[in-house]
Amino acid sequence: MDLTALPLRAAAARPHVLLVTTPGGTATRLAAERQLRLQDLPQARTPAEADILLVAGPECRGLRPAADRLWQSLPAPRVRARAATPGAVADALARCRTELAAPPVRRHAGHRHENRAGGGPDAGPDAGFGHGRDEHDDHDEDDEDDEDDEDSGGAHGAHGDSEPPWGLPMAGQGEDRDGLVLDRLHVPLGPFLADWPDGLTVRLTLQGDVVQRPECAWPPVGGRPAAAGPPFWEEPWARAAAGERVAAGEGARRRAAAHADSLGRLLAVAGWTRAATTARRLRDDLLDGASGAELRPGVRRFARRVGRSRTLYWLTRGTGTLTAEAARDAGVTGPAARAGGDVPARYRTWLAALVRDVDRLADRTPLGPAEEGPRGGAADGRWPSAALVRVLPGLLEGAELAAARLVVASLDPDPDELAAVPPEVDA
């Protein structure tokens, strides 16, 4: 009697999928999230929950060591695949589900075959995943004009060590900002966490729960994926810069979808799961071409609910303050510069822009140079996310560890921009 057949079939029927994305893989990530929703497959938040590791996007050699650590942390039975393009997602998931249901001997043989079919001789996950995330229950709140008054809980745990536990450095000692001698621990966040700029590593020195001397790192240029085109969210602006006539409404649609994606990430980090799901559904509806009339009621209700949330405001107020002057000096443009304040100022700027852009979806006038992309305009021959990463260390220094991920999510630098050819060269 085969005692393993029944649990294997159960796992294959509704496996938990750990989705990670390499820089340049935004379009593939969106396709994968859509497939998971259509197939009613739960998305794992940590490696311990996962049956399938699905890497979305092009190969990134600089993240291979982290990929090995991630794969080793998944419990058996486990399978993995990489979908390099959006069109490869459905087949990759189907192969994984078939292999997961196979007996162990066949699964190992199929795994080797799947790696070759998935995009090359090393088509396992090109990603690392350091994760420590606490799910928080949503809390009801008397928000006006909302039948489901669920509100945000606390921020998810900000751990993210991409080394195994036995590889953690021992804590040293050093003086804190008050002159006291406290243990000092070095903790990296990234390069892959749920709701995190994929590929980015932020190395923190902690004394107590206070961040000191944060440093941002990115995979070396030689180890990054080759950019096949402009960043996904910036694509209408890249086409307009190349001389194509692009309607302003098309730019508004892509910008609104990008802001909804960013809001979903921030709300998920804050622990407001249902609002994050709403943001992502609005994002998908925008990308599917829904009209302004169809979207307007839901978008306004969502913006009112999130913007007025007292719990979310109290959770994030006073964190990651970026003044308008500091933003200008650092070359930051777009919503982060216009907000000129803390995390609530930035997410409220996204909400206002989302409502405004949904009202402009039918605008057929040409997309002009005055129209900024979701994260601002290019500066110094770089996409705007480069400036967002540049200001991160200053915003994180002195913050509490629990607030660090909220600060990163409120800026939400685009990994596609960080990996892409500079705009002036691309043009």
Side-chain angles (χ1 to χ4, degrees):
M1 181 177 180
D2 187 356
L3 299 179
T4 65
L6 183 60
L8 287 175
R9 284 197 299 269
R14 197 166 184 264
H16 286 65
V17 180
L18 180 61
L19 175 64
V20 298
T21 312
T22 56
T26 294
T28 309
R29 169 178 66 86
L30 296 174
E33 290 179 0
R34 179 188 300 273
Q35 280 295 322
L36 295 181
R37 186 174 67 250
L38 291 176
Q39 297 183 32
D40 191 29
L41 297 181
Q43 190 166 334
R45 310 306 301 177
T46 68
E49 301 171 355
D51 305 299
I52 295 174
L53 174 63
L54 177 62
V55 180
E59 183 180 355
C60 183
R61 296 191 308 275
L63 296 175
R64 284 179 182 172
D68 294 338
R69 294 191 293 268
L70 171 62
W71 175 244
Q72 292 302 318
S73 65
L74 265 69
R78 57 185 181 177
V79 293
R80 62 181 181 181
R82 178 167 66 86
T85 62
V89 171
D91 287 344
L93 282 173
R95 288 196 305 271
C96 285
R97 297 181 73 174
T98 299
E99 187 178 340
L100 194 62
V105 174
R106 287 179 55 197
R107 185 184 314 120
H108 295 322
H111 175 65
R112 291 192 293 272
H113 172 75
E114 182 274 323
N115 273 354
R116 292 196 296 272
D122 197 14
D126 298 320
F129 195 97
H131 192 90
R133 180 184 174 108
D134 296 331
E135 284 293 342
H136 293 265
D137 293 333
D138 297 328
H139 301 287
D140 290 341
E141 184 176 282
D142 296 329
D143 287 344
E144 185 179 352
D145 298 329
D146 189 51
E147 295 179 2
D148 185 359
D149 293 331
E150 180 182 351
D151 209 332
S152 61
H156 288 296
H159 311 292
D161 180 26
S162 54
E163 297 285 349
W166 53 87
L168 281 172
M170 296 296 291
Q173 288 188 329
E175 290 190 358
D176 77 342
R177 55 189 174 183
D178 298 320
L180 301 175
V181 178
L182 299 176
D183 285 342
R184 184 165 55 193
L185 183 64
H186 302 280
V187 177
L189 298 180
F192 280 88
L193 292 165
D195 303 303
W196 178 262
D198 300 304
L200 178 68
T201 300
V202 179
R203 296 187 176 92
L204 306 178
T205 299
L206 300 178
Q207 287 191 298
D209 62 348
V210 178
V211 175
Q212 296 186 352
R213 295 196 296 277
E215 298 178 355
C216 295
W218 194 248
V221 173
R224 299 184 196 176
F232 175 82
W233 298 119
E234 291 283 348
E235 185 260 343
W237 287 267
R239 286 165 44 210
E244 182 179 342
R245 190 186 190 281
V246 180
E250 185 177 347
R253 182 179 295 277
R254 188 64 61 96
R255 185 169 50 226
H259 290 332
D261 188 57
S262 296
L263 285 161
R265 190 168 293 114
L266 174 68
L267 292 167
V269 172
W272 197 356
T273 306
R274 188 167 299 181
T277 300
T278 300
R280 287 161 175 160
R281 287 176 176 165
L282 291 172
R283 173 202 67 193
D284 291 345
D285 289 343
L286 281 157
L287 294 175
D288 285 344
S291 68
E294 294 172 313
L295 290 165
R296 195 171 292 116
V299 165
R300 290 183 175 177
R301 183 167 56 249
F302 169 77
R304 182 168 57 245
R305 179 186 180 191
V306 174
R308 292 179 179 178
S309 169
R310 295 185 296 272
T311 307
L312 183 62
Y313 173 73
W314 290 333
L315 175 69
T316 58
R317 63 179 176 176
T319 58
T321 300
L322 177 66
T323 66
E325 181 181 4
R328 184 176 59 252
D329 292 344
V332 174
T333 57
R338 291 196 302 273
D342 55 4
V343 170
R346 289 194 284 276
Y347 72 68
R348 286 171 173 169
T349 300
W350 280 337
L351 291 168
L354 174 62
V355 172
R356 186 169 57 249
D357 280 333
V358 167
D359 288 335
R360 297 184 56 205
L361 297 182
D363 188 347
R364 299 305 176 200
T365 59
L367 183 65
E371 293 267 4
E372 287 186 331
R375 290 163 177 82
D380 302 326
R382 298 183 179 184
W383 296 103
S385 289
L388 296 177
V389 172
R390 192 159 55 241
V391 300
L392 258 180
L395 301 185
L396 294 174
E397 188 168 3
E400 294 183 356
L401 177 60
R405 290 199 60 192
L406 288 167
V407 173
V408 175
S410 72
L411 291 176
D412 198 26
D414 182 4
D416 287 12
E417 290 186 3
L418 297 172
V421 176
E424 62 180 12
V425 176
D426 190 53

